[in-house]
Amino acid sequence: MKYYVEKNELEVFYFNNVSNTNFGLIVEEVEGLYDSFERDIEFIEVPGREGELIIDNNRVKSKDLIIKGYVDSSSSDFTMTQLKEGMEKWLHSSMTYQKLEFIKEAIGLKALCYKFVMKEIMEDLCEIEIKFRVQGENQ
């Protein structure tokens, strides 16, 4: 269900020290933000033994985080093509993990953007999907 919120209630995130608001990117949903990181544990069946042998690799695995939203170029000084090129440059600027911060939640992660999809749904309006591989700030 879609609903309206005040501008100051919108989700703001920073990736590599640049905000989504620089591109007029309105965030509708962030999948995986509150999912815990999975522990890296192996379970091995041993013949003749009850239960499994558990091997703890003393780390947590990275997880995927997906940001969904939209961009409306009619309220921007830039064309949709310029916004797309700017966002691609911003999101794919590095092949190393960069700082990803969600302001309202005060959550900091290390992230690598591996997919950016922009789909036009009508003139001057595009749906956006950004996929990150993330690690906790302590990893």
Side-chain angles (χ1 to χ4, degrees):
M1 179 163 131
K2 307 276 183 190
Y3 55 92
Y4 295 95
V5 296
E6 296 294 323
K7 190 170 187 170
N8 64 346
E9 295 175 349
L10 293 173
E11 183 70 67
V12 176
F13 71 92
Y14 283 81
F15 176 64
N16 202 11
N17 297 316
V18 177
S19 171
N20 60 300
T21 59
N22 291 16
F23 301 96
L25 171 57
I26 305 299
V27 176
E28 286 187 305
E29 180 180 3
V30 182
E31 294 178 9
L33 184 60
Y34 295 108
D35 295 350
S36 67
F37 289 92
E38 182 181 345
R39 290 177 59 187
D40 187 5
I41 297 175
E42 296 177 52
F43 298 94
I44 301 172
E45 301 261 344
V46 178
R49 178 180 171 170
E50 294 291 324
E52 300 104 358
L53 174 62
I54 302 169
I55 300 174
D56 187 349
N57 292 315
N58 296 317
R59 70 180 195 106
V60 293
K61 296 180 181 181
S62 297
K63 67 177 182 177
D64 287 334
L65 187 139
I66 301 170
I67 297 175
K68 295 181 180 181
Y70 63 91
V71 172
D72 180 358
S73 68
S74 67
S75 59
S76 171
D77 294 335
F78 302 102
T79 66
M80 196 57 78
T81 301
Q82 290 170 322
L83 289 170
K84 179 183 181 295
E85 289 170 355
M87 284 190 277
E88 281 180 338
K89 185 175 180 182
W90 165 50
L91 295 167
H92 293 158
S93 61
S94 178
M95 285 304 297
T96 60
Y97 283 90
Q98 302 295 319
K99 191 172 189 178
L100 175 63
E101 293 179 284
F102 290 87
I103 303 306
K104 280 184 1 184
E105 292 83 0
I107 295 175
L109 303 161
K110 293 186 291 185
L112 172 71
C113 178
Y114 67 91
K115 188 171 184 181
F116 170 64
V117 177
M118 193 167 179
K119 177 182 170 189
E120 187 175 35
I121 51 177
M122 64 177 54
E123 186 175 349
D124 297 329
L125 185 64
C126 286
E127 289 179 335
I128 302 290
E129 183 175 278
I130 305 168
K131 293 187 179 184
F132 290 101
R133 190 72 173 165
V134 298
Q135 299 176 337
E137 193 64 50
N138 312 359
Q139 286 180 291

